[in-house]
């Protein structure tokens, strides 16, 4: 069974993105082993002079390295991902590069109509950066709008059409993970390029 890491892309205690990931974890429990990861404990990124990383960063990076794939669920703040998620990705691309060539599926929930569409686009750009180099599943947005009304008291999505769409995307992601993990001939070179990349040398 595949092992996935699911990252809650916010530090909010009441996030519907967390609800969405826990629904995914439960609904697909026979398809994959999914571990929910929080980023609330990540300190503010400060580019430590000694290069030593906080233990929480190293722990999460190790889990990402060992996972077959990653799911990130992001809300949208001012047409972008939350500062907490950006902060976590900054840490996870500094002297440590677990996202290089890692298959990633992006989901998002928002209180409004657009379902974090702009934040998802922003996140794809970030994951494609030279320091992260993740492989994001294309044409796969799951946009959960009006998320405050989207779940019942047990945490299940109430819209059957949304469930069916999510199910189809998740099965596609499983295929994407398999195919992506076969395309690893350049992985060592890609990781080396991420490690050696510096904006100061451009």
């Amino acid at each position: 069974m595949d092992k996935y890491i699911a990252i809650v892309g916010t530090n909010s205690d009441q996030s519907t993105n967390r609800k969405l990931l826990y629904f995914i974890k439960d609904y697909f429990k026979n398809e994959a082993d999914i571990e929910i990861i929080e980023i609330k404990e990540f300190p503010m990124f400060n580019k430590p002079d000694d290069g030593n990383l906080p233990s929480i960063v190293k722990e999460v990076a190790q889990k990402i390295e060992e996972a077959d794939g990653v799911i990130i669920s992001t809300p949208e703040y001012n047409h972008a991902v939350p500062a907490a998620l950006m902060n976590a990705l900054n840490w996870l691309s500094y002297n440590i590069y677990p996202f290089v060539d890692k298959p990633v599926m992006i989901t998002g929930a928002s209180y409004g109509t657009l379902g974090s569409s702009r934040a998802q686009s922003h996140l794809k750009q970030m994951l494609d950066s030279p320091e992260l180099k993740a492989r994001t599943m294309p044409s796969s947005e799951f946009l959960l709008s009006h998320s405050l009304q989207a779940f019942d008291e047990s945490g299940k999505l109430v819209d059957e059409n949304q469930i069916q769409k999510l199910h189809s995307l998740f099965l596609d992601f499983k295929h994407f993970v398999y195919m992506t993990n076969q395309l690893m001939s350049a992985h060592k070179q890609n990781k080396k390029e991420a490690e050696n990349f510096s904006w100061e040398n451009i």
Side-chain angles (χ1 to χ4, degrees):
M1 183 179 289
D2 286 346
K3 168 71 176 179
Y4 300 155
I5 295 300
I7 298 175
V8 181
T10 175
N11 58 3
S12 169
D13 290 330
Q14 307 299 324
S15 176
T16 51
N17 284 274
R18 183 180 294 102
K19 281 188 176 182
L20 176 58
L21 289 181
Y22 272 99
F23 172 76
I24 290 172
K25 174 183 172 68
D26 181 67
Y27 190 80
F28 297 106
K29 61 187 175 184
N30 294 325
E31 301 285 344
D33 178 13
I34 302 174
E35 180 180 356
I36 308 293
I37 296 293
E38 299 281 355
I39 59 174
K40 293 187 288 185
E41 301 303 320
F42 275 53
M44 186 67 70
F45 181 71
N46 62 359
K47 213 170 185 178
D49 293 335
D50 58 7
N52 288 329
L53 299 174
S55 58
I56 182 66
V57 175
K58 292 187 283 187
E59 178 183 336
V60 171
Q62 184 66 30
K63 289 177 182 290
I64 294 171
E65 286 272 14
E66 295 173 353
D68 297 297
V70 176
I71 303 169
I72 303 176
S73 193
T74 180
E76 182 172 310
Y77 297 169
N78 297 327
H79 294 183
V81 302
L85 178 54
M86 189 180 300
N87 180 65
L89 292 176
N90 286 341
W91 277 117
L92 292 166
S93 57
Y94 180 73
N95 285 348
I96 197 165
Y97 305 94
F99 275 103
V100 173
D101 295 324
K102 187 65 62 173
V104 177
M105 175 181 174
I106 298 174
T107 67
S110 76
Y111 298 169
T113 303
L114 298 179
S116 81
S117 60
R118 296 182 182 91
Q120 291 193 35
S121 178
H122 182 213
L123 181 54
K124 287 177 183 177
Q125 288 183 312
M126 293 176 66
L127 290 170
D128 194 42
S129 67
E131 303 96 324
L132 285 163
K133 284 184 174 288
R135 292 179 173 176
T136 308
M137 186 168 73
S139 304
S140 61
E141 289 181 330
F142 182 74
L143 307 171
L144 184 63
S145 59
H146 304 294
S147 58
L148 286 175
Q149 296 81 39
F151 301 90
D152 64 18
E153 292 182 358
S154 68
K156 180 182 177 182
L157 283 174
V158 297
D159 187 336
E160 190 60 34
N161 289 329
Q162 290 279 30
I163 293 175
Q164 289 304 314
K165 180 178 182 180
L166 182 59
H167 187 261
S168 297
L169 288 174
F170 190 84
L171 293 181
D172 283 348
F173 183 57
K174 289 192 67 177
H175 291 300
F176 180 72
V177 167
Y178 174 78
M179 291 185 292
T180 299
N181 286 334
Q182 306 307 304
L183 305 174
M184 298 297 283
S185 298
H187 179 66
K188 288 184 179 179
Q189 182 63 31
N190 290 340
K191 199 147 194 175
K192 183 177 180 180
E193 288 177 0
E195 292 169 352
N196 294 333
F197 181 82
S198 172
W199 290 103
E200 297 172 1
N201 295 330
I202 293 180

